[in-house]
Amino acid sequence: MKISEMFGKGKTILSFEVFPPKKTMPVDTIYETLDGLKDLNPAFISVTYGAGGNAADRTTCEIASAIKHKYGIESAAHLTCVNNSREDILKILGDFKECGVENILALRGDINPNVPPKDDFKYASELITFIKENGSFGISGACYPEGHLDSENMVEDILNLKKKVDAGAEHLMSQLFFDNSCFYNFLEKARIAGVNVPIEAGIMPVTNKKSIERMVSMCGASLPPKFTKMMQRYENNPEALRDAGIAYAIDQIVDLISNGVDGIHLYTMNNPYVAGKISNAVSSLL
């Protein structure tokens, strides 16, 4: 089932994101995570692109296939183009088709200063066009409530987002944010610009101070005073910070659902406990 077909029923859907294990970890550890997530009944689970974003690594494809066929949950495989040629992407699309993966989140990917990027695809919109021309996949794109770090301003970022939709993206997942007003302002601008596909709000619960600081530095999300005070108060108490982070994420999600957002995409960080606490707290609202 294509992810875009899950929307339009007057309800907010809840989906999850997981990531393949690091190279130093057995791949089977992801199935322990999925065992803990399956009973939470997400609409779908997306799988980030693994091991350096190269065509030789089939981990993302295999995990996405298992989510769909072993666990009976629709899946979406992330696909980045910054380090892939057209031939690489064609091979990956062939793998996805063979494994029964129907949905793709098409991304440019992060540029590694130590690895010269391939030049076949400069933007995610070009990758989306290529996928559209070479298969019948459901295509999702990423969006950035506070603007992509490479964009000069929000106007430019929204125009680039419109290009993704015009190229064939049927559904969007947002980068993480901690201030809902940023998402609402972005959503208003996107709709005015003619971006009319379903847009999911990306929520990442805070469970570790260092990891959240790293993510914020990578994506540019702002930290509202309420969030900063929470971090400062509990930064030396891991259990308290975890519970406060869960409560903060629940508060965000309740507000988003109350305002009728299309969906919530929960960055689980492969932590079924945290995902379960949040899912159970908001299940009656969905």
Side-chain angles (χ1 to χ4, degrees):
M1 181 181 187
K2 291 186 177 180
I3 289 172
S4 60
E5 297 171 358
M6 300 176 181
F7 297 88
K9 300 174 183 178
K11 289 187 176 182
T12 298
I13 75 165
L14 177 66
S15 61
F16 296 157
E17 179 183 289
V18 298
F19 55 83
K22 297 178 180 179
K23 289 183 178 180
T24 55
M25 298 288 289
V27 70
D28 288 349
T29 58
I30 190 62
Y31 298 109
E32 297 174 9
T33 297
L34 294 172
D35 286 340
L37 295 176
K38 68 178 189 300
D39 292 334
L40 302 178
N41 299 316
F44 68 90
I45 298 177
S46 72
V47 187
T48 63
Y49 201 39
N54 64 76
D57 178 31
R58 299 183 79 250
T59 309
T60 296
C61 179
E62 292 167 0
I63 295 171
S65 179
I67 289 170
K68 181 165 184 172
H69 299 110
K70 178 181 178 180
Y71 292 93
I73 301 169
E74 192 54 72
S75 64
H78 293 212
L79 177 58
T80 64
C81 61
V82 65
N83 293 322
N84 286 315
S85 65
R86 289 174 178 267
E87 290 74 20
D88 293 334
I89 296 295
L90 280 175
K91 182 182 184 303
I92 295 167
L93 294 180
D95 287 344
F96 286 166
K97 184 176 180 180
E98 183 181 343
C99 290
V101 175
E102 190 174 352
N103 296 287
I104 297 172
L105 173 58
L107 305 159
R108 184 197 70 178
D110 296 325
I111 296 176
N112 185 334
N114 299 315
V115 180
K118 299 284 181 69
D119 55 11
D120 286 13
F121 303 96
K122 189 174 182 181
Y123 303 109
S125 56
E126 296 173 351
L127 175 61
I128 291 168
T129 297
F130 190 75
I131 295 171
K132 195 78 173 176
E133 293 171 348
N134 291 279
S136 56
F137 298 96
I139 305 175
S140 300
C143 57
Y144 304 87
E146 298 177 73
H148 193 283
L149 288 177
D150 291 345
S151 293
E152 291 187 8
N153 51 56
M154 279 301 296
V155 172
E156 179 184 79
D157 199 59
I158 295 291
L159 292 175
N160 288 333
L161 182 62
K162 183 65 164 58
K163 289 179 182 178
K164 293 182 188 180
V165 174
D166 291 344
E170 306 156 331
H171 158 251
L172 300 170
M173 305 180 202
S174 94
Q175 183 58 271
L176 63 91
F177 60 91
F178 300 101
D179 185 343
N180 284 7
S181 64
C182 294
F183 182 80
Y184 297 138
N185 290 336
F186 155 78
L187 192 60
E188 181 181 17
K189 291 180 174 67
R191 297 311 190 201
I192 290 172
V195 177
N196 294 318
V197 299
I199 300 178
E200 284 193 270
I203 298 297
M204 178 178 284
V206 178
T207 57
N208 178 283
K209 185 174 184 288
K210 288 184 179 179
S211 66
I212 209 66
E213 287 175 343
R214 180 177 61 84
M215 288 301 298
V216 167
S217 69
M218 289 175 62
C219 70
S222 61
L223 301 180
K226 178 180 177 181
F227 183 90
T228 302
K229 288 178 182 178
M230 178 191 77
M231 293 273 288
Q232 291 172 343
R233 184 172 181 84
Y234 302 114
E235 62 181 322
N236 296 317
N237 186 334
E239 185 176 353
L241 179 59
R242 180 200 65 191
D243 290 344
I246 291 171
Y248 191 95
I250 291 170
D251 185 55
Q252 274 192 278
I253 293 170
V254 170
D255 180 72
L256 290 162
I257 295 173
S258 299
N259 280 277
V261 297
D262 295 319
I264 305 293
H265 193 60
L266 186 66
Y267 296 102
T268 69
M269 304 304 291
N270 289 15
N271 190 324
Y273 173 84
V274 174
K277 286 287 188 181
I278 294 171
S279 298
N280 292 333
V282 302
S283 60
S284 64
L285 308 180
L286 299 170

